[in-house]
Amino acid sequence: MRYCPPRLIEPLVARPRIARRMAEAAGKVTLVVGPPGSGKTSALASHHADLAAAGAAVRWLTLSAEDNDPAILRRHLDHAFRGAGAEGREESEGLSDPPEDIVGFIDGLEKIDAAPARALIGAFVLELPPSSSFHITARRMQGAMFHDGWLRGVVEVIGPDELRMTDDEAAALLGEAWSPWDRQRINEAVDGWAAGLRFVARAPRSAERLLDGTGERPFPVEMANYLDDVVCARMDAASLAALMDVSVLDRFTPEALAAMPGRPCDWAQIDDHIREGSFIRYVDEQRCWAAFHPVFGRHLRQRLRRFDPDRFDALNRFAASWFEANGFGAEAIRHAVTVADSAFAARVIENVGAIHVDLCDGPDVGLGERVPATRAGELPLLFLGQIYFAIRRGRSVEARAALEEAGRQTRGFTLLDRGADPESIRGFAQLIDMVLDASDDRPITEQRLAELERAMEAHRGVRPILASGVACMLALAYLELSRYAEAATVCGIGLHAMHDVKDSRVSVFLRIHQADIAVARDTVDKAVLYIEDAQRIARIGSGVDNYEVIATRILRAGLHYENNELDAALALLDPSLRQLGSINAWVRLCASGFGTAAAIAGIRHGIDAAEERLRAGEALARERNLPRLLQFIAIARLRELTRAGEWRAAMEHVESPGFAGLLATDSLSHAVLGVQVPAMLEVARLMIELGRPHDAQAWLDRINKPFLGEADSRFRFTFRIMAMRAAYGMRRYNAAVDHMQAAVELASHAGLVRRALNNRQHLTEVFDWSIRNGRHLPARIGAYVDDVLRGADGTESGATLQQSSPRRGVEQAPNNFTLSPRETEIIALVAEGYITKEIAVRLGISEGTVKTHRKKIHEKLGVASRSQAIARARDLLII
């Protein structure tokens, strides 16, 4: 086994980044460096197998402790890389040079502790000829020879960061037993540790504990045994005990270690562990702060809590006090909530700012034991922080009741303990009240906007977190009113106020608002940049299923949909929508999530699948009393009924009291128009599909044009599409071409790929008419039609059509357009909204016969769709 890779039963996971790095290192020594279980040996074995399959001359050596004897090491090196004949030479002959044209693999360099043996192996591999290369695994790069080789460019290093599994690699290792969402969460929990992922794959039930992002629940037994037997067993008892103590700290400095009760270890010991390539690493460039790998640190804390719970509690108490004294509020809170003394914990959390820290960079925890409203004056920041936590967890009714009671107890937060900052306390209370108003979807009035603007100005330059928090709520209000320029300005003010604290909870939502603005007025690609930054910040210092993470995932899914990446959208939506009930969710977020999920389900699986998503959205709307969300769901339902051709159900839906009331309102409020306009657009779509273009145009004429001019580009695109189709159906062909051009310009600029593809047939139909009739269009319009629309289904390109088709007028129906009496009867029923099954029952014939007649109708009328058939039949006065 020394001279060939270890035998592996389970298939290796492809790691293209590492394979590429090793393949590019011809003529060099590549050190693959990382802690135990990080996939070093597997990476070498995979590359060895690839080269062997390609016929390369590959050689392998696995080192062991006995190779610390230079004589034994010399024999093994000769045997592995020169062949068995080399073993017969006398030791005095020295070590032979590496041969030409081989790729050597040496596994386990960390087992070589003796200096002479390290020097021997370094001299051997670093004298490699240019036609050969070596790949070596180690815990770390050690020895002057390797460092010198690295400086000379002979040695390449693949370090721990590159060995961390990506989400795609983790998914391949975990397999299909886990959802895409859970695979990503597990990979985050183990920090891409290959061995940890392998243990999860083998013990899926016990591994579910890893998905608890905030607790310290036990690991799978096999993982804990590995850490004990492979990692901890290498340490003496005193070192292990010291590390267990230190592991209580999230991160630590020499000063923190020096202040710890009992002085478990000094910095030199920590530095030794880091240099040995164990599960401790520096986390800053100045090498002042160090931290444990999250899995190993959690394992050590669990050992300490199990073996000495009093010591565990005392060290957490120390950690909370030390981090508080040194200005690290988030860490102080994280430790305080684990301390048994609730009074001590409450005072620490209050002292560091509680809600201030929570809005900034605090942990996603409940801030300890519940503080009643009667103590709101004594612990105001902690009380308000817990109210905010309740809102984040979707308990807004409970939060509002507690806030109102505290207001009565403290006379509007004026009766406060000495030392509290009254302006700051009242500011946070006002901010929470604003958040509750948004959660309850209360109407946005000019008075409310003025209050928000005054509050933002009052806190700017004085209380940056408060100023940014109010800016976040003000930006949301402007977005609800489609006032995008003002929303963008406010987002800029909020982010500038927090220039010293870039990565905070508030900045997550400011980035979300910037993404909303971008997709509405700029491009999907720009929105993606904002939302990806929001996702990055949301994961810092918090659980993987917190409020911010779920919100960013839902909105990111909407952007995937707009870019026609349906699989990626569903991977984010399915788990996130299930968790919406456990977090606060404003109406725009819920409407985006359920509407997008229903659209994808309708495209792929039909109306029943879409209806399932819509009913889930309705349930949440009723649970939280969000009537506007019910309206958005109703609009999405009409869209899906129309897509499915359920004409009768769609018409009944339009005529229902709730929907009819929405259409009938004459309010000029932008909040109302933001729901009414998409509703009218969907009714216009239904009229067009029913072959009633004049009715569709009547609905389009009713739309408030000043609002539409300022509205989201997606609304404006849909309006252009409906106007184009209505004009084309009424034979206003030049108007249809103008609308087509405007729609393509919008789709091309904003990146609305999915929406363009949904209307591909109609856009290309009008485009082709314009080419046949000599209409001059900008080249970019033809390029978009060819590259995006025709490229999706492989139909003839516009350029080919323009070259080969003579100019002629409007395409006429074929000469055989006369329908039989049965065909006339069937097209009349189709126009009335009957589906194939209903027509068959009504006429007493089979569904197959109905389909045959409908095919002949299409052929005779020269059309390709139901709506075209209805329109053409009406034009020819057949119905």
Side-chain angles (χ1 to χ4, degrees):
M1 292 297 292
R2 275 184 170 276
Y3 306 113
C4 60
R7 181 170 174 262
L8 299 173
I9 301 299
E10 297 178 348
L12 294 174
V13 172
R15 307 200 65 183
R17 296 172 306 142
I18 297 174
R20 185 167 56 252
R21 284 289 307 278
M22 289 193 285
E24 292 171 351
K28 297 183 180 181
V29 174
T30 304
L31 287 179
V32 184
V33 176
S38 55
K40 303 183 298 295
T41 300
S42 296
L44 257 65
S46 179
H47 193 49
H48 180 279
D50 290 343
L51 292 178
V58 291
R59 305 285 188 271
W60 183 282
L61 174 62
T62 299
L63 299 172
S64 68
E66 69 173 353
D67 289 309
N68 281 285
D69 182 336
I72 295 174
L73 175 60
R74 183 179 289 107
R75 288 200 302 271
H76 289 153
L77 289 171
D78 267 337
H79 184 93
F81 302 109
R82 296 288 295 180
E87 292 184 339
R89 296 183 301 104
E90 295 294 330
E91 186 173 322
S92 60
E93 295 180 41
L95 185 65
S96 57
D97 294 331
E100 301 273 356
D101 300 313
I102 69 157
V103 182
F105 295 83
I106 300 178
D107 187 31
L109 186 60
E110 68 274 0
K111 296 170 185 174
I112 307 301
D113 299 319
R118 286 204 304 269
L120 178 66
I121 199 167
F124 177 74
V125 299
L126 291 172
E127 291 300 322
L128 80 166
S131 62
S132 297
S133 59
F134 271 97
H135 305 284
I136 305 172
T137 67
R139 296 276 176 83
R140 63 187 178 90
M141 182 168 64
Q142 59 181 342
M145 297 181 71
F146 282 110
H147 280 281
D148 180 67
W150 177 74
L151 290 171
R152 290 186 289 111
V154 176
V155 174
E156 293 280 336
V157 178
I158 297 175
D161 289 342
E162 293 173 277
L163 286 172
R164 289 192 185 98
M165 289 273 188
T166 66
D167 289 340
D168 288 340
E169 291 166 349
L173 196 153
L174 290 169
E176 298 300 322
W178 301 91
S179 70
W181 165 266
D182 285 341
R183 290 197 293 259
Q184 184 173 352
R185 296 174 68 199
I186 290 168
N187 196 37
E188 290 177 358
V190 303
D191 196 32
W193 184 41
L197 291 165
R198 186 73 72 183
F199 286 123
V200 169
R202 291 181 176 178
R205 289 188 179 179
S206 59
E208 289 176 1
R209 303 179 184 117
L210 282 174
L211 299 181
D212 176 15
T214 58
E216 290 284 330
R217 297 182 181 181
F219 287 119
V221 173
E222 297 83 356
M223 189 185 298
N225 289 342
Y226 177 89
L227 292 170
D228 280 334
D229 297 341
V230 175
V231 183
C232 296
R234 297 174 53 248
M235 306 174 189
D236 59 73
S239 294
L240 180 57
L243 289 183
M244 287 166 60
D245 282 356
V246 176
S247 72
V248 171
L249 301 172
D250 291 318
R251 57 187 180 124
F252 43 91
T253 64
E255 293 76 16
L257 295 188
M260 286 187 76
R263 297 289 298 274
C265 66
D266 58 29
W267 192 253
Q269 291 171 282
I270 295 297
D271 193 56
D272 286 341
H273 284 291
I274 293 173
R275 288 189 294 106
E276 287 175 4
S278 62
F279 284 97
I280 309 176
R281 61 178 181 264
Y282 290 111
V283 293
D284 65 330
E285 293 181 357
Q286 292 75 29
R287 299 163 76 88
C288 294
W289 290 90
F292 289 87
H293 184 283
V295 170
F296 188 51
R298 187 171 173 179
H299 177 68
L300 293 179
R301 287 192 295 273
Q302 289 171 358
R303 284 177 60 104
L304 179 61
R305 174 180 263 168
R306 185 168 64 251
F307 295 150
D308 194 346
D310 292 339
R311 175 73 171 161
F312 179 81
D313 190 69
L315 288 172
N316 269 299
R317 191 182 178 103
F318 155 76
S321 299
W322 189 88
F323 281 117
E324 176 196 349
N326 286 275
F328 301 106
E331 283 96 338
I333 291 174
R334 193 174 287 112
H335 289 286
V337 296
T338 68
V339 173
D341 185 346
S342 59
F344 166 84
R347 182 47 59 189
V348 168
I349 297 171
E350 177 70 23
N351 290 346
V352 300
I355 186 172
H356 181 278
V357 174
D358 202 24
L359 285 167
C360 186
D361 60 350
D364 193 31
V365 298
L367 301 181
E369 185 176 320
R370 172 83 177 273
V371 175
T374 54
R375 297 185 66 194
E378 175 191 350
L379 299 166
L381 292 173
L382 175 55
F383 174 80
L384 293 172
Q386 290 177 333
I387 293 296
Y388 178 58
F389 182 81
I391 297 172
R392 287 160 48 77
R393 293 293 174 176
R395 305 198 302 270
S396 58
V397 174
E398 169 193 327
R400 187 177 288 281
L403 183 67
E404 291 174 350
E405 176 62 22
R408 288 190 291 270
Q409 294 286 341
T410 61
R411 296 182 186 175
F413 289 94
T414 59
L415 298 178
L416 304 171
D417 275 12
R418 185 176 301 174
D421 176 6
E423 290 299 319
S424 180
I425 302 302
R426 285 194 289 273
F428 279 119
Q430 183 187 25
L431 176 60
I432 287 178
D433 192 56
M434 296 171 185
V435 173
L436 285 167
D437 282 350
S439 302
D440 294 342
D441 200 33
R442 296 193 176 185
I444 301 169
T445 62
E446 288 299 323
Q447 179 183 354
R448 181 176 166 192
L449 285 174
E451 289 175 357
L452 286 165
E453 289 168 353
R454 285 194 299 270
M456 183 178 71
E457 288 301 321
H459 298 304
R460 282 178 71 181
V462 183
R463 288 170 284 274
I465 295 295
L466 260 175
S468 297
V470 176
C472 188
M473 301 312 301
L474 181 56
L476 179 62
Y478 281 136
L479 282 168
E480 291 289 356
L481 300 175
S482 299
R483 292 162 63 173
Y484 297 106
E486 290 157 299
T489 299
V490 169
C491 286
I493 292 171
L495 289 168
H496 179 73
M498 296 189 64
H499 58 86
D500 292 331
V501 187
K502 296 296 185 186
D503 296 337
S504 67
R505 282 207 168 92
V506 175
S507 61
V508 171
F509 291 103
L510 289 169
R511 288 299 191 203
I512 284 174
H513 297 335
Q514 286 180 315
D516 271 344
I517 296 164
V519 77
R521 305 299 292 182
D522 206 332
T523 69
V524 169
D525 288 344
K526 187 173 181 179
V528 168
L529 295 177
Y530 286 128
I531 208 69
E532 285 182 343
D533 195 43
Q535 286 183 287
R536 176 190 63 80
I537 301 169
R539 286 197 289 261
I540 296 175
S542 300
V544 293
D545 58 350
N546 66 25
Y547 176 29
E548 293 79 17
V549 169
I550 294 171
T552 52
R553 284 177 180 273
I554 289 173
L555 295 173
R556 180 70 176 92
L559 299 180
H560 278 305
Y561 172 81
E562 297 297 347
N563 208 33
N564 199 35
E565 299 162 350
L566 304 190
D567 288 335
L570 277 180
L572 294 173
L573 276 177
D574 283 343
S576 299
L577 291 180
R578 290 195 295 270
Q579 293 177 293
L580 265 185
S582 64
I583 67 164
N584 179 50
W586 64 101
V587 165
R588 289 170 64 92
L589 176 70
C590 297
S592 172
F594 289 111
T596 302
I600 297 172
I603 290 168
R604 290 190 161 176
H605 307 294
I607 185 63
D608 290 340
E611 185 64 30
E612 182 181 346
R613 270 54 169 203
L614 296 174
R615 283 196 296 268
E618 286 177 327
L620 183 67
R622 293 192 176 98
E623 176 189 334
R624 298 198 174 167
N625 190 28
L626 300 173
R628 204 159 59 100
L629 178 56
L630 285 174
Q631 292 177 330
F632 279 120
I633 297 295
I635 295 167
R637 176 171 283 117
L638 177 58
R639 178 195 68 206
E640 295 310 314
L641 288 170
T642 303
R643 190 201 309 274
E646 299 286 348
W647 314 124
R648 181 176 296 176
M651 286 299 299
E652 290 174 354
H653 186 65
V654 170
E655 294 164 359
S656 64
F659 206 98
L662 172 62
L663 295 172
T665 182
D666 56 1
S667 172
L668 296 179
S669 162
H670 277 213
V672 174
L673 291 172
V675 185
Q676 186 188 57
V677 167
M680 288 180 169
L681 290 171
E682 290 305 324
V683 175
R685 188 195 308 275
L686 173 62
M687 294 299 105
I688 290 169
E689 294 296 339
L690 289 175
R692 293 158 57 180
H694 291 87
D695 290 340
Q697 188 61 53
W699 282 105
L700 296 174
D701 290 341
R702 287 181 56 184
I703 289 175
N704 185 292
K705 298 308 185 294
F707 171 82
L708 187 67
E710 300 173 2
D712 189 315
S713 61
R714 290 168 289 190
F715 289 174
R716 289 182 285 125
F717 174 82
T718 302
F719 175 84
R720 290 294 187 176
I721 289 292
M722 296 304 108
M724 176 195 75
R725 295 184 63 189
Y728 198 74
M730 293 184 291
R731 299 185 179 181
R732 299 171 184 169
Y733 300 109
N734 288 316
V737 173
D738 291 340
H739 288 303
M740 178 274 297
Q741 182 174 342
V744 170
E745 294 275 16
L746 267 171
S748 176
H749 169 75
L752 304 178
V753 178
R754 181 68 246 174
R755 292 173 192 267
L757 292 177
N758 285 346
N759 296 280
R760 173 179 55 204
Q761 175 185 335
H762 311 296
L763 287 167
T764 54
E765 182 179 21
V766 176
F767 176 82
D768 290 346
W769 182 93
S770 69
I771 297 301
R772 286 194 302 268
N773 288 273
R775 279 288 300 266
H776 176 72
L777 296 175
R780 61 182 178 275
I781 301 295
Y784 189 86
V785 171
D786 284 352
D787 296 343
V788 177
L789 302 181
R790 299 196 197 278
D793 65 356
T795 58
E796 185 182 24
S797 73
T800 303
L801 180 64
Q802 188 166 7
Q803 293 170 6
S804 61
S805 298
R807 178 179 175 180
R808 55 193 178 94
V810 180
E811 184 177 358
Q812 300 296 321
N815 292 333
N816 63 339
F817 66 81
T818 303
L819 303 184
S820 69
R822 177 64 87 188
E823 289 166 351
T824 302
E825 192 174 17
I826 287 174
I827 190 61
L829 291 171
V830 169
E832 290 179 29
Y834 287 86
I835 62 175
T836 298
K837 184 176 181 179
E838 293 171 331
I839 294 172
V841 172
R842 187 180 182 93
L843 299 181
I845 58 179
S846 70
E847 290 183 49
T849 301
V850 175
K851 291 178 181 177
T852 299
H853 282 305
R854 290 184 61 182
K855 182 179 179 182
K856 289 181 179 178
I857 291 169
H858 285 198
E859 291 174 352
K860 289 182 177 182
L861 298 181
V863 298
S865 70
R866 178 200 304 245
S867 60
Q868 290 175 341
I870 295 169
R872 186 59 56 83
R874 286 186 171 144
D875 288 341
L876 297 172
L877 303 179
I878 295 173
I879 56 175

